[in-house]
Amino acid sequence: MSDQIKHECGIALIRLRKPLQYYIDKYGSPAYVSNRLYVLMQKQINRGQDGAGVANIKINTKPGTRYISRYRSIEPQAVNFIFDKIQKKYKKAKKLGGDQALHDADWLKENIAFTGEVWLGHLRYGTHGENSIETCHPFLKQNNWRSRNLVMAGNFNMTNVEELFGKLVELGQHPKEKTDTVTVMEKIGHFLDEENQRIFDKYKHQYSNEQITAVIEDELDVARILRRSCRDFDGGYAMAGLIGNGSSFVVRDPSGIRPAYYYADDEIVVVASEKPAIKSAFDIDFKQIKEIQPGNALVINKDGNFAEHEIMPAREKKSCSFERIYFSRGTDPDIYRERKLLGKALIPQILQAIDFDLKNTVFSYIPNTAETAFLGMIEGLEDYLSAKRREVLLEGKPHLEDLEELLNFRPRVEKLVSKDVKLRTFITNDSDRDAMVANVYDTTYEVVRSGIDTLVVIDDSIVRGTTLEKSILTTLDKLEPKRIVIVSSAPQIRFPDCYGIDMSKMKEFIAFRATIALLKEKGMESLMNDVYEQANSGEVLDINYVKGLYEPFTDQEISDKIAEIITSENIKAEVKVIYQTVDNLHKACPNHLGDWYFTGDFPTPGGMRVVNRAFVNYMEGKTIRAY
């Protein structure tokens, strides 16, 4: 994606189902599980590079023994930094007790941190706010009773933080922050405390307090805690938690917006945000990896038994389609296939844009994540050429080309754009800064015929258009083509996201700016005021009034205006912009229909309220996030 956006974080959870000694004996090292978690997190590094964290819990430790360990980091290579520190713990064990200590699970659990049975890792992309160690997951809610301790990490954004904060206050709490992470943890922590108290009250006349502690740890109903906690949540979430007794869970939002997958056998249970990470870490078949269903929680009890439980009734599944277009790793076979289909679906629009002149067209892509869609696009061109040859040879249709030329013709494919270097824009003069930014991308010279060839370049998505305007178009125009066609494998981004992606302000979207420009050109500013009054009325807000801004125009009109906006006066070539259609997106990704940023059809009431508030903020000149 040429316009970099930060997005959904990554989670990784591992629960050992056998005693630690089993893994030391079988795999020859106490680092077996930490090494697997390291792979899980490195294979999801695409999901977060602002920070990372790891937490570990030991089960059934004696009083006086530390049983929760946690490292967090915002170092440039945070995952490596954390696991280097964990490895030092094993080196310390060898120094204290020799090789024998490294193979003694009981000694390790009593003396060395990060030797427990339950592990939780998190990769953070900070979509809003500061990037500090305090903002890194996992978060920890501590208590002197083991079964009241809670460790949490997640991939989520809540749209109703104010409401959730108010409910905590109504419960008598005094939260220290008004953030969704802290609010969610405190809410789950509250009902964890109540569950502890419920079991205590049930047995207080039968056992001593010390005995009841053990009973509570065995009887804790995690699914009940989550049902009571999550009923007020509005947002997209995949939240993972560890409880001090050794129980753990991953709960998913009822619309399935945020992803969560798991694999289990008689040795381990593992959960991650992406399937390829699980496959790489444990060398298993993709078919063995299951998806946690929307509205469900995978709960792993203290004894290692696990099951999926319904926490909230599932709504229509609206899994984030951006996971398929861009965010998730393309090594997932389903995602790879879907991205190729997205590229192939654009062929009719591309052929029209180039006037069907394949001889004088060069095809390329914006590296690196658009490469798979590019392969699909080329496949589509090959299919088109095969159909043309079939018409001529088998159906006898007339043609202008030489027959041998028709048989041998192949699309002209070149790598025209390469990302050269990240340049710091510390120069204060705007023209100098633009000149520097224009050199972020480099190009391949002398493969384009000046004034003759058309360039078709595909990108995953065009969000803000800034990089296109300031860098890519300038770079491509140096090749002196007749025409430049920029192709987006995603539809026009028209609305903000409030479920995890760093796209929250209306004015950042090139499609929105183009629509506003069209409204002003046609003297329709009154429509903006009408939508503002509706969105700011305080009446029923579970309607996306902002949709009305786009209704007067076709997709093509907006695309043409986008091309006009991103084409500076210095660009000599004609510029066209092509976007994917929503229908083709759904055909390519039929199981991931979350498309609210394209269509405005938000899957939760909170999403509708956010988009209206975002437009109100725009009209009032406020640059704050809308949730």
Side-chain angles (χ1 to χ4, degrees), residues 340 343-352 354 356-359 361-364 373-389 406 409-414 456-458 487:
K340 288 185 73 175
K344 186 177 288 189
L346 290 157
I347 292 303
Q349 292 170 265
I350 292 171
L351 288 172
Q352 287 185 0
I354 64 173
F356 294 84
D357 183 9
L358 290 175
K359 287 182 182 178
T361 301
V362 179
F363 296 89
S364 192
F374 172 74
L375 294 175
M377 181 177 72
I378 298 305
E379 268 191 21
L381 289 172
E382 294 284 4
D383 290 347
Y384 167 77
L385 288 169
S386 293
K388 294 294 288 181
R389 294 182 186 111
L406 178 66
F409 182 79
R410 294 290 180 271
R412 294 170 61 195
V413 175
E414 304 288 352
V456 174
V457 183
I458 190 169
V487 182

Side-chain angles (χ1 to χ4, degrees), residues 118-131:
V118 196
W119 294 73
L120 177 60
H122 185 264
L123 296 133
R124 179 176 185 269
Y125 256 136
T127 54
H128 293 280
E130 63 177 334
N131 188 38

Side-chain angles (χ1 to χ4, degrees), residues 67-82:
Y67 59 94
I68 300 178
S69 305
R70 178 179 62 153
Y71 280 150
R72 296 180 294 175
S73 174
I74 55 171
E75 293 292 319
Q77 294 184 327
V79 174
N80 286 340
F81 180 83
I82 288 170

Side-chain angles (χ1 to χ4, degrees), residues 41 81 109 153 172 285-286 289 347 355 549 553:
M41 294 179 70
F81 180 83
K109 287 185 65 174
D285 194 287
F286 274 107
I289 302 170
I347 292 303
D355 300 323
L549 297 172
F553 311 111

